Amino acid sequence: LAMELANARELVEGVDRDLTRTDERRVELQTLLDDRAAEGIHDRLTDVEAALDVATTTHRRLARSAQAAELLSATLLRHRDEAQRHYVAPFKQRIDRLGKVVFGPDFEVEVSTDLAIESRTLRGRTVPFGSLSGGAREQLAVLGRLACAQLVDPAEGAPVILDDTLGFSDPERLERLAVVLNDVGRSAQVVLLTCQPRRFESVGGARTERLVAS
């Protein structure tokens, strides 16, 4: 009985000590809460939660707008690529047709989807456009413009103005290009501006107009 009594008393004392420490901790926490409340932490929490709601709504709206813009961009690009592919084959075929007159029957070009000449194949050798000589690049550029003129309107063509071009072409190429210019000139108006009319004297059917400065 004495042992049980001593144990019970010590247990009560221990519980009292725990209660005292708990109460002290409660007071500390209450004091801390009172301090934070005095600083307006609850109001800040409310403001932050409201700002979070606004940001979430804005994010969702922007995400929907971004998805719509991405879909529109993808759709436009797809239709553009389809339209370009629709024009690439006829453009290449027309340049090949005109180029065979100038360069020979084994002439061929590769055309990109943005209708730019990427390379030229001649006698089985393919050379990138940028690696060709200045004369060859100029000749291909003229062929490309003539091909466009014929494709824009197959019946009447589109006007083409060439200003002092083909200055790097040798006489043999100039004669062949004259054949091409004459052929295109039957269905499209080709205007050649030059201070060296002899360069184009082989163009059949051409009408010469001399411009004299006053």
Side-chain angles (χ1 to χ4, degrees), residues 31-198:
T31 303
L32 181 62
L33 288 174
D34 292 341
D35 291 341
R36 293 294 185 268
E39 295 175 359
I41 188 171
H42 179 72
D43 295 336
R44 292 209 304 270
L45 175 61
T46 302
D47 294 340
V48 170
E49 289 176 343
L52 177 61
D53 291 339
V54 173
T56 302
T57 302
T58 303
H59 176 267
R60 291 173 180 170
R61 177 173 54 80
L62 292 176
R64 289 194 299 268
S65 299
Q67 292 174 353
E70 184 178 6
L71 177 60
L72 176 61
S73 175
T75 302
L76 291 175
L77 290 176
R78 185 176 70 254
H79 285 290
R80 184 204 64 181
D81 293 341
E82 290 176 358
Q84 287 179 336
R85 286 193 295 270
H86 176 72
Y87 289 113
V88 165
F91 184 57
K92 168 182 163 51
Q93 292 170 0
R94 191 58 59 97
I95 294 179
D96 287 345
R97 174 183 176 275
L98 299 177
K100 291 182 188 300
V101 178
V102 179
F103 297 98
D106 55 353
F107 168 84
E108 187 177 2
V109 294
E110 287 297 326
V111 178
S112 65
T113 55
D114 58 351
L115 302 181
I117 299 176
E118 291 188 329
S119 64
R120 182 200 69 181
T121 300
L122 194 62
R123 292 185 288 275
R125 183 186 177 190
T126 301
V127 179
F129 182 82
S131 300
L132 294 171
S133 65
R137 292 199 302 270
E138 184 182 38
Q139 293 155 17
L140 290 177
V142 170
L143 293 177
R145 294 184 61 186
L146 296 175
C148 284
Q150 290 184 322
L151 289 173
V152 167
D153 189 340
E156 298 183 2
V160 180
I161 300 178
L162 302 175
D163 185 8
D164 202 23
T165 188
L166 301 176
F168 298 98
S169 300
D170 57 67
E172 182 179 356
R173 285 278 169 79
L174 282 175
E175 289 185 4
R176 295 179 181 179
L177 284 163
V179 175
V180 172
L181 290 169
N182 182 64
D183 179 74
V184 176
R186 291 194 182 100
S187 58
Q189 184 183 31
V190 180
V191 179
L192 298 170
L193 303 176
T194 181
C195 58
Q196 298 180 357
R198 293 187 59 184

Side-chain angles (χ1 to χ4, degrees), residues 196-209:
Q196 298 180 357
R198 293 187 59 184
R199 187 184 303 167
F200 303 101
E201 62 184 2
S202 298
V203 179
R207 187 179 69 184
T208 302
E209 297 288 345

